[in-house]
Amino acid sequence: MENHTQLATRTSRVFAFLIDHVIISFIIVIPFVFYMMNQDNSESGIVLTVFWIAMFFAFIFYSLKDVVKGVSIGKWIFGLGVRDEDNLKTIPPLTKLILRNLTIVIWPIEFVVLAARSNKQRLGDRLAKTAVVKVREVSAIKKIIAVLLTIILLAVIMFVSIAFMFKGTDSYQTAENYIEDSSQIIRETGGIEGFGFLPAGSIQITNGYGEAYFTIKVKGEEKDIYVDIYLTKKPRNEWDVQEIHYSD
C-alpha cells in the first residue's frame, strides 16, 4: 500500500458503518412495520415471507452502499472513501465495491478482523483488494452531530419495532378486540375510530402461564381515552381479560 495516504481509523470506520446500518435499517424496518400493521391477516407464514423479502432488500442495499465513488453516507460524513489497495488514489471498479460488502453478512467476524489487523482491512477488503482511507478533513462537531442524529434515528427504529412486536401478539389482539366490544368504552368515546400507534406495556410468559399489561390510546368520535388493560393466560388456553380501567 502507498504510505502517503492516511488509512481511516478504526473508530471512524465503525461509526461510519453504524450510520449506514441505521439508515438502511430505517429504510427497511419502517416500511416493513407499516405494511404488517395494515394487514388483516397476521399469520406467521405471511410475516416470515415479508421478513425475508425485507432481508433481501437489506442485503442489496448493503452491497451497493459504496458504489458512488467509493463513498457511502456514513463514509461521506466522516470523510472516508474506498480505494484500490495498490493505489490509494484510485477508486476501485464497481465489481470490487460490491464484492467487498458481500461479507457484511458476517459482520461480527468482520469487526474482529478489522480490530486485529494492523493494516485495518476487514475480510471484504482483503477479498476485493481494497482499503478505506481518509479523503478529507471533517470537524469534530460535525462528527458529534452525525453520531447524535444516528442515535436518535436508532431509538426511533427500536421504538417502532417494539410497538410492532406488541401489536403482533395474541395478547394485544385480545385486548383490542375486548375494547372494541366494550359498550362502556364505546359510550365513553362516542364510538371507536381506531387505536394509537404506540402502545405501552409488558408481556411475560413462563411455562405456558402469561401476564400482559397494556396502556392503549383509543381514538373516539367524541373524545380519545387511554385504556389500561390486564390479561392473563393459562397453558393451552387463550388470553383472558382480568381488569380494565380508562381515563381521559
Side-chain angles (χ1 to χ4, degrees), residues 17-181:
F17 172 80
L18 290 177
I19 290 174
D20 290 334
H21 173 71
V22 170
I23 292 173
I24 293 173
S25 296
F26 188 82
I27 293 172
I28 296 297
V29 170
I30 299 303
F32 170 73
V33 169
F34 276 99
Y35 173 81
M36 294 308 302
M37 292 293 295
N38 290 320
Q39 297 306 299
D40 294 329
N41 191 339
S42 59
E43 294 180 1
S44 59
I46 295 177
V47 174
L48 189 61
T49 299
V50 176
F51 171 79
W52 283 114
I53 291 174
M55 290 301 99
F56 171 77
F57 280 106
F59 180 75
I60 297 298
F61 280 126
Y62 274 115
S63 300
L64 300 177
K65 70 184 183 70
D66 298 315
V67 298
V68 180
K69 298 182 179 180
V71 177
S72 64
I73 294 177
K75 288 184 177 67
W76 177 80
I77 290 173
F78 277 83
L80 311 180
V82 181
R83 297 295 183 263
D84 192 272
E85 180 184 54
D86 297 323
N87 185 350
L88 297 183
K89 298 292 185 180
T90 302
I91 299 173
L94 183 64
T95 52
K96 283 191 174 184
L97 292 172
I98 294 175
L99 180 61
R100 69 180 297 276
N101 285 327
L102 297 182
T103 58
I104 286 180
V105 293
I106 53 171
W107 62 265
I109 297 176
E110 286 286 50
F111 275 123
V112 172
V113 173
L114 176 63
R117 289 184 62 84
S118 59
N119 62 3
K120 304 174 186 176
Q121 283 182 306
R122 59 179 179 84
L123 292 177
D125 289 318
R126 295 184 63 187
L127 181 65
K129 298 186 183 302
T130 58
V132 178
V133 302
K134 184 176 180 180
V135 296
R136 61 182 173 84
E137 292 290 339
V138 178
S139 66
I141 187 65
K142 289 183 179 180
K143 293 179 181 179
I144 293 173
I145 292 173
V147 171
L148 290 177
L149 290 176
T150 301
I151 293 173
I152 293 172
L153 189 57
L154 180 60
V156 170
I157 293 172
M158 293 178 63
F159 199 49
V160 172
S161 298
I162 291 172
F164 169 70
M165 290 171 59
F166 266 165
K167 288 198 168 188
T169 61
D170 292 338
S171 55
Y172 182 85
Q173 292 299 319
T174 300
E176 273 200 357
N177 292 336
Y178 185 92
I179 291 172
E180 288 177 333
D181 294 334

Side-chain angles (χ1 to χ4, degrees), residues 1-15:
M1 291 185 186
E2 297 177 6
N3 296 322
H4 59 274
T5 300
Q6 185 179 352
L7 291 175
T9 64
R10 294 182 178 87
T11 302
S12 62
R13 288 191 63 176
V14 169
F15 276 116

Side-chain angles (χ1 to χ4, degrees), residues 3 5 11 34-35 40 54 58 87 108 115 121 135 162 190 197-198 205-207 209-210 216 231 237 241 244:
N3 296 322
T5 300
T11 302
F34 276 99
Y35 173 81
D40 294 329
N87 185 350
Q121 283 182 306
V135 296
I162 291 172
F197 178 66
L198 297 173
I205 301 177
T206 305
N207 297 325
Y209 291 90
I216 302 172
L231 306 91
N237 287 347
V241 175
I244 185 168

